[in-house]
Amino acid sequence: MSLILALDSSSDACSVALNDNGKLTSLFEHAAKSHTQRLLPIVDEVLATAGYQLSDLDAIAFGRGPGSFTGLRICLGIVQGLAFGANLPVIPVSTLESMAYAWFSVQGSASTDKPLLVALDARMNEVYWSMYQYQVGSCEPVALTPEAVMSPADVVQQLQGLNHPGLSAIGPGWHYPELAALPAENPVLTCLPDAAAMAVIAAEKFRRGEQLPVMEAEPVYLRNEVSWQKRQRIRQ
């Protein structure tokens, strides 16, 4: 039994979801460049709709990345403020894993025979990606490859050694021609991270005791050197 709020702003979308022992209340909207203005009002709306206050929660989950550097920092900053003020633990959830779970939950048994390659556009001719396999009876798909950031050409080279005759494919990173040439059936480029899927995964993590003290929460950038350079410019 748990009551978990999840937030995400790792992409052009902005989303919040409340998992009340399996009952989801969520809002998702495209909010490019307005995450700072929209995330907290959406939190208030979701909590009000479900009839809860921040103090009622057991934990706050968040999309920990990979994704937009600015979006990840905005989300984590808001989560830290909310969790610290209400003395709540936090639960980091992978954006790529949550996308895979959302896809598998819609596809059901039809998704079990092919691995799913999730690819987010990381700009600079690179993608954030990982590949997953459906796991029956679990909200957490099996990761077949580590999360990574690399050029689409390097992704193709990595896959050559895995010997997969076919793939399912989601995420805006699939717009690159190198990925589009892979044997994937009808890539869905419009899929983005969603707090609703994160709230489901977070409940399972909470059940296993994987929540963290708020000050231990960190985003996962993957592109660490670039992220550090951006942070230095922001500080200056």
Side-chain angles (χ1 to χ4, degrees):
M1 304 290 285
S2 61
L3 184 65
I4 296 173
L5 186 71
L7 288 71
D8 182 68
S9 60
S10 60
S11 68
D12 286 345
C14 188
S15 58
V16 175
L18 182 72
N19 188 343
D20 180 5
N21 299 307
K23 179 183 177 182
L24 288 176
T25 303
S26 63
L27 283 174
F28 177 98
E29 64 180 55
H30 290 274
K33 299 182 180 179
S34 61
H35 296 105
T36 304
Q37 293 78 26
R38 291 299 302 142
L39 200 53
L40 274 175
I42 297 176
V43 168
D44 291 339
E45 186 173 350
V46 167
L47 288 174
T49 298
Y52 288 108
Q53 298 180 353
L54 197 63
S55 57
D56 297 321
L57 300 175
D58 292 306
I60 301 179
F62 66 99
R64 52 85 163 155
S68 158
F69 173 83
T70 302
L72 294 178
R73 294 304 305 176
I74 290 171
C75 185
L76 180 57
I78 290 175
V79 167
Q80 286 178 326
L82 294 173
F84 188 79
N87 193 29
L88 293 169
V90 297
I91 304 172
V93 179
S94 162
T95 52
L96 300 179
E97 180 186 20
S98 68
M99 291 172 67
Y101 163 70
W103 173 259
F104 286 137
S105 65
V106 171
Q107 299 300 311
S109 60
S111 63
T112 60
D113 60 335
K114 292 181 181 178
L116 173 69
L117 198 156
V118 183
L120 288 172
D121 192 349
R123 312 301 181 189
M124 296 188 293
N125 196 41
E126 290 185 327
V127 294
Y128 302 117
W129 76 285
S130 185
M131 193 158 62
Y132 297 90
Q133 188 74 51
Y134 179 73
Q135 184 172 198
V136 178
S138 175
C139 63
E140 295 171 293
V142 177
L144 302 178
T145 62
E147 295 179 341
V149 57
M150 62 183 66
S151 70
D154 286 340
V155 175
V156 173
Q157 186 175 13
Q158 291 272 326
L159 293 178
Q160 287 176 348
L162 297 178
N163 195 29
H164 286 296
L167 297 167
S168 297
I170 62 170
W174 279 89
H175 78 86
Y176 287 103
E178 296 92 337
L179 292 187
L182 288 170
E185 294 182 2
N186 302 319
V188 182
L189 277 66
T190 55
C191 288
L192 293 172
D194 189 341
M198 295 176 185
V200 176
I201 295 173
E204 178 62 20
K205 291 181 178 293
F206 182 81
R207 186 188 67 81
R208 295 196 300 259
E210 296 179 10
Q211 58 269 31
L212 300 173
V214 59
M215 299 314 295
E216 292 184 14
E218 291 287 344
V220 172
Y221 298 122
L222 295 183
R223 191 187 277 152
N224 292 327
E225 182 178 350
V226 172
S227 299
W228 180 84
Q229 291 171 351
K230 283 188 177 181
R231 181 181 292 184
Q232 290 299 105
R233 290 199 298 270
I234 291 170
R235 287 175 175 172
Q236 292 170 2

